[in-house]
Amino acid sequence: MSLIRALGKDLEARSDDSLRALFAARPDLISPPVPDFAALAARASSRVSVQRALERLNRPQMQVLETLHLCTNTDTGHSASAEGLHQLIRGASLDVIEQIMGTLQELALAHPAVPPHGTPVQAANQQHFYLPVGSLKDVVGIYPAGLGRSYTELVRLQPAFAQRVVQLVSELHRSGFAIHDATTPMEAALALQHWTSSPEALQDILAGAPERTTALLARFRNWAMGAVPQAQRKASVLTEAADVGPVDWLLARGLLVPLDAAHVELPHSVGLALRGGAIINDFTLSPPVPELGRTTAALRRNAALSAISETLRLVSELLHAIRENPLATLRSGGVGVREMRRLSDQLRIDQGAAGRLLELCGLAGLIRLDVDSSSWVQPPELEWLVLPRQEQWLWLVNAWLASERVPSMVGQPVSTAPGAPSRGPSGTSIAALSAGAQRPDAPVVRKRILEILHELTLEAAGPDGTAPVLDAGAVLQRAEWSQPRMARRFTSLIRGVLAEAEMLGLVGTGALSQLGSAVAEDHPDAALAILGEHLPAALNHVLLQADLTAVAPGYLAPALTEKLLVMADTEGQGPATIYRFSAASIKRALDEGYDAAGLLAFLREHSATAVPQPLEYLVEDTASRHGRLRVGQAASFIQSDDEAVLRELLAGPKAAQLGLAGLSPTVLTSSAPPRELAAALRSLGLSPTVDGAEPSAHPRRPSAPQESLRPVYSAPRLAPAAEEVDAQLDVLRQAGPAVGHLPGAGAGEAATQLGLEALQRAIRLKQRINMNVVDNLGNASLEVVVPLSVSGGRVRVFDPAKDTERVLSVHRIIDIEAAEELRQ
């Protein structure tokens, strides 16, 4: 029977509460809605949906599911019971196995099945038998539970091993080993499988092995494949040297099977015997408890607040630097090394820190790419600059949580950056603000790491307020237990996420801060309250020194910092920033519209000390020489011998709009482009001519009201809304009986999945099928064929009657039926 149909019947028999729990755990099943239970079962059996469901299982659940997969055969319908699984999982009670199997059934990853052929009647009546979902084999991979493939499968898939296996078995038989001789590769594979079928038999085989053989096999205990140089070398049991190595000894007896020139595989029966006949030997319901250091609440809080203050200060300085000198982009995208060196020198930090900071500003929307100039600029009237410091922090944290960019990937080699797309020559580094730092799974992994930090902190928090110091190893150990299918994602991002969290004050001295706990629990208001209570208030004054410097005794208000950066250059690092005044910096302020009196008034207002005389002399002397030469902007000019017309234009209402200014009685300049100026003159009844081509200037764009760029983070919705679930349940309960199982039957998603399931099952079993195929004229014909492969909407079949192969389009197949049923 079709596994999808069996799962559909199981789903149809469930209560509404059971279906609600299923939709909460697997929301993709009803997004978009399905028309009936057949379509629901088809979607629950799809590879993508099963893969998402497995990512949410913890290690004990995955171990039980993989054991079920190894003990069953979905093609022949051979099922397994909880008692059968219990015998293969050491350390688990039968009640625990039954409870986990119930959970897997609720998640539609397994469904009830009939007992295998030959099961005693009493056992069939007392036990529940299960089959896993049909696509589980494709999702778990070729090494479920770390065990290798069987000898028969290796013979079928490895031609080199199939050519040698008969000779290997014959040599073993002639050498006196208790193994049956064979004449075909499949018989030889079965003989090897029987020869290594028990732990006792394997111990007898290994009794004469070299010393290091047992230690070598121990490396294959948790994973079946390993790297071995010259893996395809041939060794014989009849011509062994006295110092034969363990690899040659194992290869000669077929206990290791070469896959290619550099890799070998431990067959399933050998791996199972090494584990003492059990598939799982390390089953435990309790997560591992790492050994952790301790830190005080004061140290943790002070470190977090210091990191937040420093990050906010650096972001402010970075935005000012970019506003003064936008960052140019490379042709391949991102910011080049030369620009990053200039930025790091301005901020007085290393290039790695500057890259992470630049990425943080980019993902928070504090800087934008200007497509006209191909450079990164600050948006006009940026709201972030005028917000209180705690709201500035929350802006950055929300953007970081929701972003698919990973700032810590900047500077990593392209060829070795985990999960990064290859967007450059091998050996190059990922540039800041380039596509190489993109990771679509970053928000999910980032939030899960914070949750794990919170879990470990609650478990190990001391009564005196001390908190555990959590390194990447401790977090990764818990992540691998709670979600083993996502272990590789955690491994590639864990250290970068922890470094970014420390930069944002979510982690302090290696421990999760109170702010981090509030963010992990999705309580941003509580985080704002904590930060507002403990973060020192911003200062609004500096200390002016006689050496032409101003010392900030703490963290200055953003508005004060912004103005000081215009009239002085920064020196040093940390909160006590030094601002040095010079003739060049004073000229810069004068260019921005200040005058000597305004500068000195500003300094007197915001200085806790009197303005030193050297600084006063510097301002007045620089201002006295400023402005002797004036530079203005003009995009076009008007020349005419009629001075009266030009005087009339200069005095008219259009003068201010066009930016008209007189250079001489016969020449005016305008800030408007030539064609725009000519159009305005024509609207006044004049007939100007335009000399030459219009210079390539960017067209002016109408200014639009600035929308708030403030990011608002919302945690990923793990369950659909209640009204969506109720609507889906109404549709399912009102749907008619399940529809036909082929793509041409008009059943949509369910029909496609059922048709592909039938084809793939026949391919695996090399089984003949009856197909109704429609030709170009709409005529249907019944054909008996053996399907060989299916992909891309096409199926390759072998026609026994004509002894030929053909390729058919799947959409032309309207019916499939097995021509021969297998015995169970």
Side-chain angles (χ1 to χ4, degrees):
M1 182 180 182
S2 165
L3 293 176
I4 296 179
R5 289 185 177 278
L7 180 58
K9 288 187 175 181
D10 177 48
L11 295 174
E12 190 173 2
R14 296 190 183 190
S15 65
D16 287 353
D17 290 340
S18 177
L19 291 174
R20 284 191 177 92
L22 172 64
F23 298 151
R26 299 179 63 179
D28 59 294
L29 296 185
I30 58 172
S31 179
V34 292
D36 50 35
F37 282 102
L40 179 62
R43 187 175 296 176
S45 302
S46 66
R47 179 171 181 168
V48 174
S49 181
V50 171
Q51 188 169 352
R52 290 176 180 171
L54 295 190
E55 289 177 351
R56 301 186 181 100
L57 299 184
N58 58 30
R59 181 179 294 170
Q61 294 169 336
M62 276 301 306
Q63 289 175 331
V64 172
L65 185 60
E66 288 179 331
T67 305
L68 176 67
H69 165 60
L70 291 171
C71 295
T72 57
N73 190 322
T74 55
D75 293 329
T76 61
H78 182 82
S79 59
S81 65
E83 290 189 0
L85 301 180
H86 177 241
Q87 298 174 5
L88 299 172
I89 302 177
R90 291 178 180 168
S93 64
L94 180 59
D95 292 339
V96 169
I97 300 297
E98 290 177 343
Q99 180 182 358
I100 293 179
M101 282 306 307
T103 301
L104 296 176
Q105 182 182 354
E106 291 175 359
L107 294 173
L109 295 173
H111 58 84
V114 297
H117 182 72
T119 303
V121 177
Q122 183 178 3
N125 293 333
Q126 294 179 353
Q127 301 176 23
H128 297 287
F129 290 82
Y130 302 92
L131 276 174
V133 65
S135 60
L136 183 64
K137 181 177 181 179
D138 298 330
V139 177
V140 298
I142 60 176
Y143 299 132
L147 290 173
R149 292 165 288 186
S150 64
Y151 278 109
T152 54
E153 191 172 1
L154 289 171
V155 163
R156 182 169 57 87
L157 297 176
Q158 297 292 327
F161 180 64
Q163 293 174 4
R164 182 174 172 271
V165 68
V166 175
Q167 177 187 357
L168 185 150
V169 169
S170 298
E171 288 186 4
L172 290 172
H173 179 72
R174 291 196 300 271
S175 299
F177 288 96
I179 185 172
H180 298 290
D181 202 357
T183 57
T184 65
M186 194 56 65
E187 290 179 357
L190 292 173
L192 285 171
Q193 194 163 305
H194 179 74
W195 185 48
T196 59
S197 60
S198 67
E200 295 78 15
L202 184 63
Q203 288 300 322
D204 292 341
I205 297 171
L206 296 177
E211 293 182 3
R212 302 185 303 275
T213 305
T214 303
L216 176 64
L217 287 177
R219 300 182 182 181
F220 291 88
R221 188 177 298 274
N222 295 322
W223 194 246
M225 187 180 71
V228 172
Q230 300 178 357
Q232 292 178 329
R233 60 183 180 266
K234 295 182 179 179
S236 173
V237 295
L238 302 178
T239 57
E240 287 185 352
D243 58 346
V244 63
V247 174
D248 290 323
W249 194 90
L250 293 170
L251 288 171
R253 286 154 182 78
L255 301 180
L256 286 179
V257 176
L259 300 178
D260 52 35
H263 297 89
V264 295
E265 181 174 329
L266 190 76
H268 177 87
S269 57
V270 181
L272 194 62
L274 279 177
R275 299 183 183 186
I279 294 177
I280 304 297
N281 285 316
D282 57 348
F283 184 90
T284 175
L285 284 176
S286 302
V289 179
E291 296 183 4
L292 304 173
R294 315 292 298 180
T295 186
T296 64
L299 284 176
R300 177 180 57 164
R301 181 180 64 251
N302 293 340
L305 295 177
S306 176
I308 291 171
S309 299
E310 182 69 1
T311 298
L312 295 180
R313 181 186 69 82
L314 288 173
V315 168
S316 298
E317 289 194 21
L318 185 145
L319 293 178
H320 175 79
I322 291 180
R323 186 169 68 251
E324 295 296 324
N325 295 296
L327 292 177
T329 58
L330 301 171
R331 288 185 178 181
S332 57
V335 180
V337 176
R338 183 177 300 176
E339 289 284 75
M340 288 304 305
R341 186 181 298 117
R342 175 176 65 84
L343 185 63
S344 64
D345 290 342
Q346 284 185 271
L347 300 179
R348 305 168 306 285
I349 57 178
D350 61 82
Q351 292 189 38
R356 292 189 293 272
L357 199 68
L358 188 61
E359 278 283 341
L360 183 63
C361 292
L363 62 86
L366 304 184
I367 57 176
R368 285 182 175 180
L369 179 62
D370 181 28
V371 295
D372 293 332
S373 60
S374 295
S375 58
W376 288 89
V377 298
Q378 177 188 313
E381 300 178 5
L382 183 61
E383 181 185 2
W384 186 88
L385 294 171
V386 297
L387 291 176
R389 298 171 72 199
Q390 58 266 30
E391 293 189 24
Q392 288 181 336
W393 171 83
L394 186 60
W395 178 312
L396 297 177
V397 170
N398 283 340
W400 176 72
L401 288 172
S403 176
E404 295 184 353
R405 299 193 61 81
V406 182
S408 57
M409 291 180 65
V410 174
Q412 293 185 11
V414 172
S415 57
T416 59
S422 180
R423 299 183 182 274
S426 178
T428 60
S429 299
I430 296 176
L433 302 177
S434 68
Q438 196 80 10
R439 280 289 296 266
D441 59 342
V444 175
V445 175
R446 195 178 284 133
K447 186 62 165 61
R448 183 63 188 130
I449 289 175
L450 287 179
E451 292 173 350
I452 291 174
L453 287 170
H454 184 59
E455 293 171 7
L456 293 173
T457 300
L458 291 179
E459 292 175 7
D464 55 350
T466 58
V469 177
L470 303 168
D471 58 5
V475 178
L476 187 59
Q477 188 179 19
R478 176 60 61 89
E480 289 176 342
W481 184 89
S482 60
Q483 290 178 278
R485 293 284 298 184
M486 293 185 66
R488 292 184 62 185
R489 302 186 189 182
F490 286 115
T491 302
S492 63
L493 293 179
I494 177 67
R495 287 173 176 79
V497 170
L498 291 179
E500 295 161 13
E502 188 168 3
M503 181 175 66
L504 291 169
L506 303 177
V507 172
T509 63
L512 189 69
S513 65
Q514 286 183 302
L515 295 170
S517 295
V519 171
E521 294 181 308
D522 296 323
H523 294 154
D525 294 337
L528 281 177
I530 294 172
L531 192 59
E533 178 183 355
H534 294 99
L535 192 66
L539 299 178
N540 203 32
H541 68 275
V542 294
L543 303 176
L544 294 177
Q545 307 290 323
D547 60 351
L548 301 180
T549 60
V551 178
Y555 298 98
L556 302 180
L560 177 57
T561 301
E562 191 74 13
K563 293 180 180 179
L564 280 174
L565 289 173
V566 173
M567 58 186 67
D569 299 315
T570 54
E571 295 179 353
Q573 294 183 352
T577 306
I578 298 175
Y579 297 86
R580 180 168 296 278
F581 298 93
S582 63
S585 67
I586 298 299
K587 288 178 182 178
R588 186 171 65 232
L590 294 173
D591 289 337
E592 291 290 327
Y594 286 94
D595 56 17
L599 281 173
L600 293 174
F602 172 82
L603 294 175
R604 293 188 184 100
E605 179 184 357
H606 295 285
S607 175
T609 59
V611 177
Q613 194 174 48
L615 179 57
E616 188 172 351
Y617 285 167
L618 175 66
V619 173
E620 292 176 347
D621 183 59
T622 305
S624 65
R625 297 193 304 270
H626 186 264
R628 294 179 181 178
L629 295 178
R630 298 181 60 191
V631 177
Q633 181 178 5
S636 57
F637 68 91
I638 305 173
Q639 189 277 329
S640 175
D641 294 333
D642 192 342
E643 299 180 10
V645 173
L646 295 185
R647 286 196 300 270
E648 184 180 352
L649 282 175
L650 196 57
K654 292 273 187 177
Q657 179 181 352
L658 298 175
L660 295 179
L663 293 182
S664 70
T666 60
V667 178
L668 300 180
T669 61
S670 172
S671 60
R675 298 192 182 277
E676 182 180 333
L677 177 60
L681 295 177
R682 291 188 184 101
S683 67
L684 297 176
L686 302 175
S687 299
T689 59
V690 180
D691 292 342
E694 184 173 347
S696 58
H698 301 305
R700 291 188 172 186
R701 298 180 179 177
S703 59
Q706 180 71 22
E707 296 182 1
S708 176
L709 304 175
R710 188 180 309 193
V712 178
Y713 171 74
S714 58
R717 192 179 68 174
L718 300 180
E723 54 271 15
E724 295 180 20
V725 175
D726 292 338
Q728 179 65 83
L729 289 175
D730 292 340
V731 172
L732 291 174
R733 295 305 184 192
Q734 294 172 6
V739 295
H741 65 279
L742 291 176
E749 184 176 358
T752 302
Q753 286 291 110
L754 285 162
L756 291 175
E757 179 193 40
L759 285 173
Q760 291 167 349
R761 181 172 182 266
I763 291 170
R764 289 192 297 267
L765 299 177
K766 296 181 172 56
Q767 185 182 20
R768 294 188 180 188
I769 59 174
N770 297 327
M771 291 196 314
N772 260 328
V773 183
V774 178
D775 59 18
N776 294 332
L777 300 178
N779 301 318
S781 60
L782 182 63
E783 300 183 11
V784 180
V785 296
V786 179
L788 302 177
S789 64
V790 57
S791 63
R794 295 179 177 272
V795 56
R796 185 167 62 91
V797 300
F798 172 73
D799 191 339
K802 301 178 181 179
D803 196 23
T804 59
E805 289 188 8
R806 300 167 52 199
V807 177
L808 302 173
S809 296
V810 174
H811 72 274
R812 294 193 179 278
I813 305 173
I814 61 174
D815 189 22
I816 290 179
E817 184 180 46
E820 48 195 13
E821 289 296 335
L822 296 177
R823 294 181 180 179
Q824 297 186 8

